[in-house]
PDB file of all heavy atoms in Angstrom:
ATOM      1  N   GLN A 797       1.698  29.522 -29.773  1.00 73.00           N
ATOM      2  CA  GLN A 797       1.239  29.923 -31.113  1.00 73.00           C
ATOM      3  C   GLN A 797       1.159  28.723 -32.076  1.00 73.00           C
ATOM      4  O   GLN A 797       1.556  28.810 -33.243  1.00 73.00           O
ATOM      5  CB  GLN A 797       2.145  31.002 -31.720  1.00 73.00           C
ATOM      6  CG  GLN A 797       1.943  32.394 -31.141  1.00 73.00           C
ATOM      7  CD  GLN A 797       2.618  32.534 -29.788  1.00 73.00           C
ATOM      8  OE1 GLN A 797       3.754  32.089 -29.636  1.00 73.00           O
ATOM      9  NE2 GLN A 797       1.933  33.092 -28.823  1.00 73.00           N
ATOM     10  N   GLY A 798       0.717  27.593 -31.557  1.00 78.00           N
ATOM     11  CA  GLY A 798       0.436  26.446 -32.410  1.00 78.00           C
ATOM     12  C   GLY A 798       1.648  25.630 -32.818  1.00 78.00           C
ATOM     13  O   GLY A 798       1.523  24.672 -33.585  1.00 78.00           O
ATOM     14  N   ARG A 799       2.829  25.970 -32.301  1.00 78.00           N
ATOM     15  CA  ARG A 799       4.037  25.226 -32.715  1.00 78.00           C
ATOM     16  C   ARG A 799       4.118  23.897 -31.953  1.00 78.00           C
ATOM     17  O   ARG A 799       4.103  23.882 -30.726  1.00 78.00           O
ATOM     18  CB  ARG A 799       5.290  26.070 -32.431  1.00 78.00           C
ATOM     19  CG  ARG A 799       6.504  25.618 -33.196  1.00 78.00           C
ATOM     20  CD  ARG A 799       7.414  26.797 -33.559  1.00 78.00           C
ATOM     21  NE  ARG A 799       7.496  27.736 -32.446  1.00 78.00           N
ATOM     22  CZ  ARG A 799       8.407  27.645 -31.473  1.00 78.00           C
ATOM     23  NH1 ARG A 799       9.285  26.680 -31.487  1.00 78.00           N
ATOM     24  NH2 ARG A 799       8.433  28.539 -30.511  1.00 78.00           N
ATOM     25  N   VAL A 800       4.203  22.793 -32.708  1.00 81.00           N
ATOM     26  CA  VAL A 800       4.225  21.473 -32.056  1.00 81.00           C
ATOM     27  C   VAL A 800       5.664  21.047 -31.738  1.00 81.00           C
ATOM     28  O   VAL A 800       6.019  20.826 -30.581  1.00 81.00           O
ATOM     29  CB  VAL A 800       3.527  20.413 -32.941  1.00 81.00           C
ATOM     30  CG1 VAL A 800       3.629  19.027 -32.317  1.00 81.00           C
ATOM     31  CG2 VAL A 800       2.057  20.780 -33.144  1.00 81.00           C
ATOM     32  N   ALA A 801       6.507  20.964 -32.804  1.00 78.00           N
ATOM     33  CA  ALA A 801       7.865  20.447 -32.614  1.00 78.00           C
ATOM     34  C   ALA A 801       8.878  21.575 -32.375  1.00 78.00           C
ATOM     35  O   ALA A 801       8.520  22.754 -32.434  1.00 78.00           O
ATOM     36  CB  ALA A 801       8.258  19.623 -33.836  1.00 78.00           C
ATOM     37  N   GLY A 802      10.114  21.178 -32.084  1.00 76.00           N
ATOM     38  CA  GLY A 802      11.211  22.144 -31.957  1.00 76.00           C
ATOM     39  C   GLY A 802      11.297  22.797 -30.602  1.00 76.00           C
ATOM     40  O   GLY A 802      10.443  22.567 -29.729  1.00 76.00           O
ATOM     41  N   ALA A 803      12.367  23.627 -30.442  1.00 72.00           N
ATOM     42  CA  ALA A 803      12.612  24.266 -29.137  1.00 72.00           C
ATOM     43  C   ALA A 803      11.460  25.201 -28.776  1.00 72.00           C
ATOM     44  O   ALA A 803      11.000  25.987 -29.609  1.00 72.00           O
ATOM     45  CB  ALA A 803      13.918  25.053 -29.193  1.00 72.00           C
ATOM     46  N   GLY A 804      10.966  25.087 -27.554  1.00 73.00           N
ATOM     47  CA  GLY A 804       9.876  25.939 -27.083  1.00 73.00           C
ATOM     48  C   GLY A 804       8.520  25.521 -27.646  1.00 73.00           C
ATOM     49  O   GLY A 804       7.506  26.178 -27.402  1.00 73.00           O
ATOM     50  N   GLY A 805       8.461  24.425 -28.410  1.00 79.00           N
ATOM     51  CA  GLY A 805       7.196  23.955 -28.980  1.00 79.00           C
ATOM     52  C   GLY A 805       6.387  23.197 -27.929  1.00 79.00           C
ATOM     53  O   GLY A 805       6.870  22.890 -26.832  1.00 79.00           O
ATOM     54  N   ALA A 806       5.130  22.898 -28.290  1.00 82.00           N
ATOM     55  CA  ALA A 806       4.226  22.250 -27.330  1.00 82.00           C
ATOM     56  C   ALA A 806       4.764  20.894 -26.864  1.00 82.00           C
ATOM     57  O   ALA A 806       4.646  20.547 -25.683  1.00 82.00           O
ATOM     58  CB  ALA A 806       2.855  22.074 -27.972  1.00 82.00           C
ATOM     59  N   ALA A 807       5.373  20.131 -27.786  1.00 81.00           N
ATOM     60  CA  ALA A 807       5.863  18.798 -27.415  1.00 81.00           C
ATOM     61  C   ALA A 807       6.925  18.910 -26.326  1.00 81.00           C
ATOM     62  O   ALA A 807       6.913  18.157 -25.343  1.00 81.00           O
ATOM     63  CB  ALA A 807       6.426  18.086 -28.647  1.00 81.00           C
TER      64      ALA A 807
END
Side-chain angles (χ1 to χ4, degrees):
Q797 284 78 44
R799 198 147 40 89
V800 176

